[in-house]
Amino acid sequence: MEQELTYRLGESVFNLSRGTLHRGGELVLPRPKTFELLAYLARNPGRVVGKGELLDAVWPSTTVTEDSLTQCIRDARKCIGDERQAVIRTMPRRGYMFQPPPGTSSSQSLRPAPSGRESRLAEPCVAVLPFPSFGVNEVLRPVIEGVAEEITVVLSYFRTLSVLARYSTLALAGTQPERMQAALQEAEVDFVVEGRIENRDPPFNVVITLSDTQSARRLWTQGFHFEPDAALDSHALTARRIATALVFNIESAAMIRALPAHDGSAHAHLMQAMWLLRSEGEGGNGQTRAHLRAAIVLDPHLGLAHSFLAWTLAVENDYGRASPDLLDHALDSALRGVSLSPFEARCHRILGVILMFRRDFLAAETHYRRALELNPYDADTIAQMGWLQTIRGHAEEGLELLDSAIRINPIQPPLYQFGRGGALFMLGRYAEAARAYSGTPLKDVYRWALLSSCLASRSDHSRTEACAGQAGELQADLTIEMIRDAFILQHEIDRDCMRRGLQLADWSADSA
């Protein structure tokens, strides 16, 4: 058994074992010295710690003035919301004392240390180690170091993960190689991200590796190219693409790890449901819902499970073509998810989707924007906001958002290109729309109908007839009105625009 030391200070939760600090549900990333000072005080609660002792503990090999200590104390109070100086108290001419309010002082709980294939029931913890930049041009070294830091920041926005604080990862980076695995396990890190630069001059090739700390197995490796350019901010885009790929791989690995030992844990069921949604899309919805409902039974307050349950109901019932009663049911589940997890971006995104399907466009946009405030790096939210803008009559803006999502997410679901094709279709850019639809392996009657119209605009008669035939096989009674209504376009002028585009193929003009 091992001890975990956690302080709950109002809206702040300070976990010394994990090296994390959350405030109001948000991960806070304090400066390394600020975190080190806060940790030292928290390990000495109720005791006056002299200024000299703090200077020696936080700056052991550096000579600094008391001004640095005063600034560090100020930053620590700001991080934990201690504006009234009730937790970190100043003891005049003596030093400082860490004194949590009654009832919120340190809580130490015992739990089994992870061993073998066992894992905690909580979200997986990941550490992003600093990228070595030896040999890289001194001017460009901060760019390389910034990539690792940006990845850490982006990962911290995904609430199905816990990210080790940068202070702790810097300490881990100095560990001897033979001690690294043990040090990671002692810090309760489940997965570690490492990177290396394969060339000294731009364009750089960054090779990212994700490893399991329990087995020391390498789970995923991929190279990313980028040209440091402040105007294009390409290194930030590269970091976001890396982080998006990491989220997918970490959550999948966490699901596989949790399954044998903790089939009864709520988080394990949630991970399995999310994996099924990604890997099978519209298929396997019954199994996905079974996992989500099992997660809710085990933890009724798991907001993300309620939200994804709403999403599966919409997917299985033809998205926006679902019945009003079913969309009401999905809305109840999505609202429950947001009420339980108001700081989880994906809960707001799914609520936005359901509201969009119900034609409540203004409310949908409100929740999409809230999702992007909470996590501006979630490519799925960016893509869905792009589709919302398209059906609200802003196809240019929608296309820009969809293209941005595609740049960020190297593991794009087919719906990205489907949405992009829809935006291009609404703009009358039929040749580009045809290319987008041709790249989507969706077995969707509307995709075939729209693709046939795009091809007709290029006088590609044989392929037009073939695509129209595919649409007819999937739904023999399909009409232009049915297709147009399925896209839940907000304005009549856009519905007329789509009608004109569909008439290019003349495959169902007689039913119009």
Side-chain angles (χ1 to χ4, degrees):
M1 306 287 280
E2 63 183 36
Q3 269 192 341
E4 178 182 284
L5 182 59
T6 302
Y7 285 95
R8 300 183 182 276
L9 312 166
E11 291 188 349
S12 300
V13 179
F14 181 35
N15 190 314
L16 274 74
S17 303
R18 281 183 176 268
T20 58
L21 174 62
H22 288 77
R23 186 179 180 191
E26 299 281 356
L27 183 69
V28 179
L29 299 174
R31 297 173 182 174
K33 291 299 182 185
T34 300
F35 191 95
E36 193 169 345
L37 179 140
L38 186 56
Y40 191 85
L41 287 171
R43 289 192 177 96
N44 294 274
R47 179 173 77 84
V48 177
V49 181
K51 294 181 180 180
E53 182 180 346
L54 281 171
L55 289 168
D56 289 341
V58 181
W59 293 273
S61 56
T62 307
T63 301
V64 297
T65 66
E66 284 193 13
D67 289 341
S68 298
L69 176 59
T70 302
Q71 179 61 45
C72 210
I73 289 287
R74 188 180 299 117
D75 288 346
R77 285 170 172 156
K78 184 177 179 181
C79 285
I80 63 173
D82 184 30
E83 288 81 4
R84 298 177 60 187
Q85 303 183 19
V87 177
I88 302 177
R89 299 176 59 184
T90 301
M91 312 303 289
R93 296 184 297 278
R94 298 175 63 196
Y96 300 93
M97 182 170 66
F98 185 83
Q99 187 169 359
T104 59
S105 57
S106 63
S107 60
Q108 297 183 355
S109 59
L110 293 177
R111 62 180 179 181
S115 61
R117 285 192 56 83
E118 293 184 346
S119 63
R120 295 182 306 280
L121 304 187
E123 69 278 0
C125 181
V126 57
V128 182
L129 297 185
F131 294 178
S133 55
F134 303 113
V136 176
N137 185 303
E138 287 294 327
V139 176
L140 296 175
R141 183 173 292 179
V143 175
I144 299 298
E145 294 171 351
V147 171
E149 189 163 352
E150 179 79 3
I151 292 170
T152 303
V153 170
V154 175
L155 288 177
S156 70
Y157 281 88
F158 290 87
R159 293 177 176 274
T160 45
L161 310 177
S162 177
V163 186
L164 199 67
R166 184 144 178 83
Y167 158 78
S168 299
T169 57
L170 289 171
L172 283 171
T175 305
Q176 294 297 319
E178 62 272 14
R179 276 276 306 149
M180 179 59 77
Q181 186 177 2
L184 289 166
Q185 290 180 353
E186 288 169 7
E188 297 191 356
V189 172
D190 298 295
F191 302 100
V192 62
V193 177
E194 299 171 276
R196 70 175 188 273
I197 309 300
E198 289 200 325
N199 46 328
R200 296 184 178 183
D201 299 305
F204 292 115
N205 185 43
V206 184
V207 178
I208 305 297
T209 301
L210 174 68
S211 302
D212 186 319
T213 59
Q214 290 185 7
S215 63
R217 288 190 305 110
R218 182 172 295 181
L219 302 175
W220 172 77
T221 298
Q222 186 171 331
F224 295 83
H225 297 276
F226 78 97
E227 175 81 48
D229 187 329
L232 297 175
D233 199 23
S234 63
H235 60 285
L237 176 60
T238 299
R240 291 165 193 176
R241 294 188 69 228
I242 292 169
T244 303
L246 282 167
V247 169
F248 178 87
N249 284 278
I250 292 168
E251 289 181 344
S252 296
M255 181 278 297
I256 294 169
R257 175 196 274 195
L259 181 60
H262 291 301
D263 190 43
S265 80
H267 192 76
H269 280 295
L270 176 61
M271 288 291 98
Q272 290 169 66
M274 293 173 66
W275 182 80
L276 285 167
L277 282 170
R278 286 186 179 132
S279 61
E280 296 183 16
E282 298 172 11
N285 250 3
Q287 189 178 0
T288 302
R289 272 203 308 279
H291 281 297
L292 292 170
R293 285 173 175 151
I296 291 169
V297 168
L298 290 164
D299 184 357
H301 301 289
L302 192 57
L304 204 52
H306 290 274
S307 294
F308 275 114
L309 185 59
W311 173 244
T312 62
L313 289 169
V315 169
E316 187 166 287
N317 291 275
D318 213 11
Y319 302 97
R321 281 86 71 182
S323 69
D325 287 346
L326 188 134
L327 287 176
D328 285 344
H329 187 189
L331 180 62
D332 289 341
S333 188
L335 286 168
R336 177 72 171 157
V338 166
S339 68
L340 291 169
S341 301
F343 298 105
E344 168 56 71
R346 283 171 284 192
C347 290
H348 285 277
R349 184 233 297 165
I350 291 171
L351 177 55
V353 172
I354 304 302
L355 289 166
M356 181 179 67
F357 291 160
R358 290 167 52 90
R359 278 68 169 175
D360 193 346
F361 300 112
L362 186 59
E365 183 164 346
T366 297
H367 283 281
Y368 276 134
R369 293 199 182 281
R370 178 58 178 153
L372 288 173
E373 287 173 4
L374 291 167
N375 186 350
Y377 310 107
D378 186 355
D380 287 349
T381 303
I382 296 170
Q384 290 181 21
M385 173 65 104
W387 181 242
L388 176 65
Q389 294 305 319
T390 298
I391 66 176
R392 295 200 71 189
H394 310 296
E396 286 282 6
E397 183 180 346
L399 180 61
E400 184 178 338
L401 287 164
L402 284 154
D403 283 344
S404 176
I406 288 168
R407 285 194 298 271
I408 292 172
N409 190 356
I411 313 171
Q412 308 158 21
L415 286 172
Y416 282 31
Q417 286 293 346
F418 187 84
R420 187 172 184 274
L424 290 164
F425 190 92
M426 295 305 300
L427 292 168
R429 293 161 60 176
Y430 299 121
E432 295 171 80
R435 286 194 292 273
Y437 285 132
S438 297
T440 59
L442 295 174
K443 298 177 181 178
D444 187 295
V445 61
Y446 305 104
R447 176 248 194 188
W448 289 114
L450 292 166
L451 180 54
S452 70
S453 297
C454 293
L455 294 169
S457 74
R458 301 165 59 189
S459 301
D460 192 339
H461 301 300
S462 60
R463 291 182 66 197
T464 297
E465 291 178 4
C467 291
Q470 289 281 358
E473 287 181 15
L474 290 169
Q475 188 169 338
D477 63 345
L478 192 65
T479 67
I480 286 180
E481 275 74 13
M482 292 168 65
I483 302 169
R484 189 184 63 175
D485 293 344
F487 280 81
I488 55 176
L489 300 171
Q490 182 175 4
H491 303 295
E492 187 63 35
I493 189 173
D494 293 316
R495 290 193 286 272
D496 289 341
C497 175
M498 175 165 276
R499 178 192 181 93
R500 289 192 297 273
L502 289 167
Q503 286 176 333
L504 290 170
D506 198 33
W507 59 270
S508 60
D510 58 337
S511 62

